Amino acid sequence: MSLIFADIDYLSPDCTVEHGCIGIQGDRVTYIGSQLPENLDDFQEVYDGRGRLLIPGMYNIHAHAPMTLLRGYAENMVLQEWLYNKVFPFEGKMTGPDNYYGSLLAIAEMLRFGVVSYSDMYFETDDRIRAVAESGIKANVCPALMVFDQEVVFSDLEESITNARYVKEFHNSQAGRIRIDLNIHSEYISNPQVVRAVGEQAVELGVGTHIHISETKQEHEDCKDRRGMSPAAYFEGLDFFKAPCTAAHAVWTEPDDWEVFSRNAVSVAANPASNLKLASGFAPIPEMIAAGVNVGIGTDGMASNNNHNMLQDVYLLATVYKASSDDPTVISPAQAMQAATLNGARAQGRKDCGSIALGNKADLVVMDTDVPWMYPQTSKLNNLVYSALGSDVILTMVDGEVLYRNGQWQTIDIERVKHEALSAVTRIISGLA
């Protein structure tokens, strides 16, 4: 479609708020100006932007989308007990259709909250990809790989074949909306041979990788006891970072680890809500940013957040590190928004995304700013980070296509999705009793 946002405030690439008109034709931003263009007849719709703020779509760079089915199920537990006693048994009963509807439920939520792309680590990859393709959202999808046997070799695993199939069939499919990443769950659910082999396969296939790293103090310290080095050093020593990598959490990383990330262009997915809820700790985000690490934001799974409201994580990123560092100047509103937008696009390898600029993909979100909690508007950027609510999103556009607008999803049958999700959860929980 072609649409022009007229008389609207918008967030510029340097995170200042400007005012003008933004034109969309096809899947690109084709006009930015202070006045309406002369070729106004070329646009099918003129969108009245008064009382609105146009921002780049947000990038959720660490998610487990089908875990929407576990929302509210496993609560108030430490991470290892939570994983092994609740999460893994539940996941063991999830089918392909469960993953499909769980993904669609997550996608509907993300679109509602202004997320245009997410990085997803989970199982039943064909079903997850189908949900992404049908919904119109973007995603970096990776097949989860969990290795508990320290002796197994990668060539003996089904993933050694299916990884290559996913890349061949789906990488850069749907006009580039779908990308494939490869996965190692973590240092503690892997072995060195598999880590090295997956890293080599990612380089060979020309794709990125996605891992959990140093999420808890126990994980971090156990790795040092077991391997004689931190998880970051372990992965670097096995050449795993030769492919572009997104490392989730990084809560207990140390200065040497930040140098590893910076040296290897590893992006870190900060998960402030999940880390708070699971009492994992406070990731050294200001220090990593100072060390030159590309930091984005992830919501994690819905058993540990429990929502995909990215603006909540933006708010937490901009506030909790002030308290944890005793420094109210760290993580400015501009840095928080950049983490949610441009840095996330970089982590996903999407070079023409993440900011409102001529020629960039039209991945845009309209916020309603004509609400009491956004007044007075002394600084609209500060209001966006510290005052705005996810429910203030009234339009989400991906590649120039409006997928959510004023309470309506254009590509998702939300009532069907909610029904199927409830049915799946009822069946799974009854089977665990």
Side-chain angles (χ1 to χ4, degrees), residues 240-261:
F240 188 76
F241 293 146
K242 288 189 178 299
C245 180
T246 296
H249 300 290
V251 175
W252 291 91
T253 52
E254 304 170 62
D256 287 348
D257 300 325
W258 314 332
E259 292 183 13
V260 168
F261 295 153

Side-chain angles (χ1 to χ4, degrees), residues 2-180:
S2 58
L3 179 153
I4 189 156
F5 297 97
D7 197 16
I8 197 167
D9 294 324
Y10 65 93
L11 198 65
S12 71
D14 64 358
C15 287
T16 59
V17 176
E18 309 290 344
H19 188 84
C21 303
I22 308 294
I24 309 303
Q25 291 174 299
D27 64 349
R28 301 280 173 175
V29 176
T30 60
Y31 178 81
I32 299 177
S34 59
Q35 304 292 329
L36 288 170
E38 294 181 359
N39 63 332
L40 189 60
D41 290 343
D42 292 344
F43 296 91
Q44 295 169 319
E45 179 183 354
V46 178
Y47 185 99
D48 185 355
R50 290 174 296 178
R52 306 289 186 253
L53 174 64
L54 188 69
I55 67 171
M58 290 180 282
Y59 284 72
N60 179 358
I61 64 168
H62 182 62
H64 310 287
M67 288 186 78
T68 49
L69 300 187
L70 285 92
R71 193 189 330 254
Y73 170 69
E75 304 290 0
N76 305 307
M77 302 171 71
V78 297
L79 183 107
Q80 298 300 321
E81 179 186 353
W82 173 79
L83 273 177
Y84 286 94
N85 296 344
K86 301 292 285 189
V87 172
F88 289 164
F90 188 106
E91 290 175 332
K93 293 186 177 294
M94 289 175 63
T95 65
D98 296 338
N99 278 264
Y100 169 73
Y101 284 109
S103 293
L104 282 178
L105 186 62
I107 292 166
E109 186 181 2
M110 284 191 262
L111 291 174
R112 176 64 183 85
F113 290 137
V115 173
V116 297
S117 187
Y118 68 104
S119 296
D120 195 42
M121 179 195 299
Y122 217 61
F123 312 99
E124 303 291 352
T125 300
D126 289 280
D127 295 277
R128 292 184 293 130
I129 288 174
R130 181 161 67 98
V132 173
E134 292 176 1
S135 69
I137 201 169
K138 296 183 195 296
N140 281 40
V141 181
C142 73
L145 177 57
M146 302 170 67
V147 176
F148 296 92
D149 184 347
Q150 289 299 301
E151 303 302 322
V152 72
V153 296
F154 185 57
S155 59
D156 291 339
L157 298 175
E158 181 182 1
E159 287 82 359
S160 65
I161 298 172
T162 56
N163 280 355
R165 177 178 75 81
Y166 288 129
V167 172
K168 180 179 180 180
E169 293 184 13
F170 299 112
H171 187 57
N172 283 325
S173 64
Q174 298 289 316
R177 285 194 296 110
I178 297 173
R179 296 175 61 85
I180 301 297

Side-chain angles (χ1 to χ4, degrees), residues 9 369-384 386-388:
D9 294 324
T369 57
D370 192 20
V371 289
W373 48 93
M374 294 292 277
Y375 276 86
Q377 298 185 350
T378 308
S379 167
K380 292 179 180 179
L381 174 62
N382 289 343
N383 283 2
L384 174 64
Y386 296 127
S387 305

Side-chain angles (χ1 to χ4, degrees), residues 14 22 33 71 137 142 183 259 262 277 287 315 318 329 427:
D14 64 358
I22 308 294
R71 193 189 330 254
I137 201 169
C142 73
N183 172 239
E259 292 183 13
S262 181
K277 184 167 182 279
E287 292 84 355
Y315 172 82
T329 68
R427 186 196 78 246

